[in-house]
Amino acid sequence: MKIKSLIPFVFILFCGMGIVFFQQKYVKTNIENKTTQVDYFSQEEKLKTALTLQKKLPTVGFNNLLADWQYLQLIQYFGDTPARDKTGYSLVTDYFELISNYDPSFVNAYFFLSTANSIYAGKPEKTVEFLDKILPQITPEVNPLAFNLWTYKGVDEILFLGDISAAQKSYEKSAQWALTRGDDIGKSVAKQRLETAQYLAKNPDSKKAQVSAWANILTSVFDDKSRQMAMDKIKSLGGEVNISKDGKVQVKLPQED
């Protein structure tokens, strides 16, 4: 093999070693946390630096591999509860940006990232921005649940951005994508999404649409505090929440809109 042809591989190897060094240092520090007092904010700054560096590095054809790697790192970051209780979840946005740049078709990752970025990092406007970038690059055939990305976008537009016109279009697109499944699940979902779009068209302040949006959050969040917040919002809008013994959640829309 010629030396010139080796240069890209050597370069990516060198960059990869640097990334691994930063990540391993982060992991090592987390392990040491069990026995020593930790400066979580210093950790956050170091990890922020590593993520900023990675945004500038070329992928040299390893996009999918890098997306998978960053997703695993995100799960570790998100699950470090003692650190997140101190610093919050601000770096979720950086992970979202990186993964969406590497692999727009990584649909399953975006289900997690959308909720994490909007609810936990508190940046729904960035979630919508990233989804606006991702959705034109994929089709409903990529993943049988891809239609939910339009729903997640609509939820943020209703509850956090107040962009009802955009939300209506998002729910209509979710319905269209759901129908491409060609099964009863797709038909049922499409019916629900179109009903929400119609609520929004008739009444921009629709309580039914807001309850549907909070119901989506209720089934997406990862902690009891956020679940309770969603249930309180649903009840304040006139909806009802019933949870069966096996944990199945059923939300009843308010009678009046």
Side-chain angles (χ1 to χ4, degrees), residues 29-194:
T29 305
N30 284 341
I31 294 173
E32 292 173 348
N33 289 352
K34 297 179 180 179
T35 56
T36 61
Q37 188 174 0
V38 181
D39 183 351
Y40 290 116
F41 292 96
S42 177
Q43 277 188 12
E44 189 89 348
E45 283 299 318
K46 291 176 182 177
L47 189 53
K48 174 71 173 178
T49 299
L51 291 169
T52 301
L53 172 63
Q54 289 168 62
K55 292 177 187 179
K56 299 176 181 180
L57 295 177
T59 61
V60 197
F62 291 95
N63 297 58
N64 290 349
L65 182 62
L66 288 169
D68 290 342
W69 171 256
Q70 289 304 327
Y71 185 60
L72 292 174
Q73 299 307 305
L74 164 67
I75 298 300
Q76 178 181 307
Y77 170 82
F78 193 90
D80 187 357
T81 303
R84 300 293 71 78
D85 286 344
K86 294 290 185 180
T87 68
Y89 296 82
S90 65
L91 296 188
V92 169
T93 308
D94 294 277
Y95 282 110
F96 202 159
E97 181 179 357
L98 270 170
I99 294 170
S100 63
N101 286 338
Y102 289 148
D103 185 5
S105 299
F106 199 171
V107 173
N108 288 334
Y110 302 132
F111 294 149
F112 177 83
L113 278 161
S114 294
T115 299
N117 195 59
S118 295
I119 303 299
Y120 294 88
K123 297 180 180 177
E125 74 286 350
K126 295 299 292 185
T127 298
V128 170
E129 177 185 324
F130 294 143
L131 290 177
D132 277 336
K133 178 182 69 175
I134 292 163
L135 286 164
Q137 300 184 64
I138 63 176
T139 65
E141 290 76 23
V142 168
N143 185 302
L145 297 176
F147 62 83
N148 279 316
L149 291 181
W150 284 105
T151 305
Y152 279 53
K153 181 171 177 285
V155 167
D156 283 345
E157 289 162 340
I158 292 173
L159 299 181
F160 305 120
L161 304 187
D163 192 343
I164 304 304
S165 177
Q168 180 184 343
K169 294 176 183 176
S170 293
Y171 276 94
E172 289 171 348
K173 288 292 291 185
S174 180
Q176 292 173 17
W177 281 31
L179 283 175
T180 64
R181 289 171 56 106
D183 59 11
D184 290 340
I185 293 176
K187 292 177 183 177
S188 176
V189 169
K191 181 176 180 294
Q192 293 171 359
R193 301 297 185 266
L194 285 176

Side-chain angles (χ1 to χ4, degrees), residues 118-120 159-160 214 217-218 221 223-236 241:
S118 295
I119 303 299
Y120 294 88
L159 299 181
F160 305 120
W214 281 114
I217 288 178
L218 176 59
V221 291
D223 67 291
D224 291 337
K225 182 179 179 180
S226 297
R227 291 189 191 96
Q228 188 61 52
M229 175 192 70
M231 287 191 287
D232 290 343
K233 292 287 187 180
I234 290 170
K235 292 175 182 177
S236 70
V241 179

